[in-house]
């Protein structure tokens, strides 16, 4: 049985914490005694979420802006003490064919999903290294291990997060600072609204991802995939010859899940928000 007592008192910062996986994770860790700081670009929602759940620090955070990120981390350390865990969770997932994706959206995906993770990691590691301890957890996706039509730029961003995190794990081996990636399947959050679930798979609950992150904090490892079945399928497809792997993906419905099968009406509010 996993012992979660070590989480009590830890200072945990979560980006994109106003809703979805970020909020579920913050709630789970707070219940175990962690000191929670959530930041989000949506200032109204993050303040509502933070106040309602009694988190210690909550406020606006633009992960693409160095001054915003640095100021937020400074405020956290001034209020709560040294940061033990940074969870780079903020991310967006617009869907559609690449040729229909405006340049501004391409840049926005990369700015938030890649640069935001790199910037947050850099700022956190600079604080953690002198202390000889700390844990950076980057939320990637099973999309980072495969290729799904309708998510070309998003896929690229999550491949980048995985490569980046693995590199830091080796670059700072032996320093006391740990690095982990979390690879969720499609999850029942606003990000996954209006998207059909491929055959043989089920969407994960945000609480399942939160549980995986919680376990990573007490039992660190390089990667965790959620759900187990989706993770196994992703790994198997990656090991197959290209033609066979692609055919299996099509048989599971990946070819249309994020294109023709998307319920644009159900997804309209999310797409409008993340596209600015």
């Amino acid at each position: 049985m996993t012992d979660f007592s070590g989480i009590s008192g830890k200072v945990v910062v979560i980006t994109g914490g106003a809703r979805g996986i970020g909020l579920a994770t913050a709630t789970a860790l707070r219940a175990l005694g962690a000191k929670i700081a959530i930041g989000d670009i949506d200032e109204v929602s993050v303040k509502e979420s933070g106040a309602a759940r009694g988190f210690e620090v909550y406020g606006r955070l633009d992960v693409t802006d160095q001054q915003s990120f640095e100021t937020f981390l400074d405020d956290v350390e001034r209020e709560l003490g040294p940061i033990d865990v940074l969870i780079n969770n903020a991310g967006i997932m617009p869907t559609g064919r690449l040729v229909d994706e405006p340049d501004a959206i391409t840049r926005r995906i990369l700015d938030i999903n890649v640069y935001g993770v790199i910037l947050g990691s850099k700022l956190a590691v600079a604080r953690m290294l002198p202390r000889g301890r700390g844990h950076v957890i980057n939320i990637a996706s099973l999309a980072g291990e495969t290729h799904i039509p309708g998510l070309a730029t998003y896929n690229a961003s999550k491949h980048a997060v995985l490569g980046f995190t693995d590199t830091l794990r080796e670059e700072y081996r032996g320093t006391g600072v740990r690095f982990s990636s979390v690879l969720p399947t499609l999850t029942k959050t606003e990000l996954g609204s209006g998207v059909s679930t491929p055959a043989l798979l089920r969407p994960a609950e945000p609480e399942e991802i939160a549980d995986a992150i919680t376990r990573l904090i007490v039992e660190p490892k390089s990667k965790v995939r959620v759900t187990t079945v989706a993770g196994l399928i992703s790994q198997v497809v990656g090991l197959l010859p290209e033609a066979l792997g692609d055919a299996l993906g099509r048989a599971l419905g990946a070819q249309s899940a994020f294109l023709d099968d998307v319920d644009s009406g159900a997804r309209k509010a999310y797409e409008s928000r993340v596209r600015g």
Side-chain angles (χ1 to χ4, degrees), residues 145-147 232-242 244-246 248-249 252:
E145 291 189 321
T146 185
H147 43 281
L232 286 172
I233 291 174
S234 174
Q235 289 177 283
V236 168
V237 169
L239 293 172
L240 293 173
E242 182 179 291
L244 185 56
D246 287 351
L248 178 57
L252 292 173

Side-chain angles (χ1 to χ4, degrees), residues 167-275:
T167 302
L168 292 186
R169 179 169 50 80
E170 280 297 302
E171 188 170 308
Y172 294 101
R173 182 176 296 277
T175 65
V177 181
R178 295 179 177 271
F179 300 88
S180 303
S181 300
V182 179
L183 291 72
T185 187
L186 184 67
T187 305
K188 290 183 180 178
T189 65
E190 190 186 19
L191 180 145
S193 59
V195 176
S196 62
T197 306
L200 303 181
L201 300 178
R202 65 168 179 83
E205 299 291 342
E207 290 75 19
E208 291 180 84
I209 316 303
D211 180 66
I213 294 170
T214 300
R215 293 177 183 279
L216 261 185
I217 293 173
V218 295
E219 297 175 351
K221 54 184 177 180
S222 63
K223 291 183 181 68
V224 62
R225 299 170 178 84
V226 189
T227 62
T228 301
V229 171
L232 286 172
I233 291 174
S234 174
Q235 289 177 283
V236 168
V237 169
L239 293 172
L240 293 173
E242 182 179 291
L244 185 56
D246 287 351
L248 178 57
R250 289 193 293 272
L252 292 173
Q255 185 72 21
S256 57
F258 293 88
L259 288 172
D260 300 332
D261 293 346
V262 172
D263 183 341
S264 57
R267 196 163 175 78
K268 183 177 180 180
Y270 173 76
E271 291 278 347
S272 177
R273 181 171 65 81
V274 300
R275 290 169 183 265

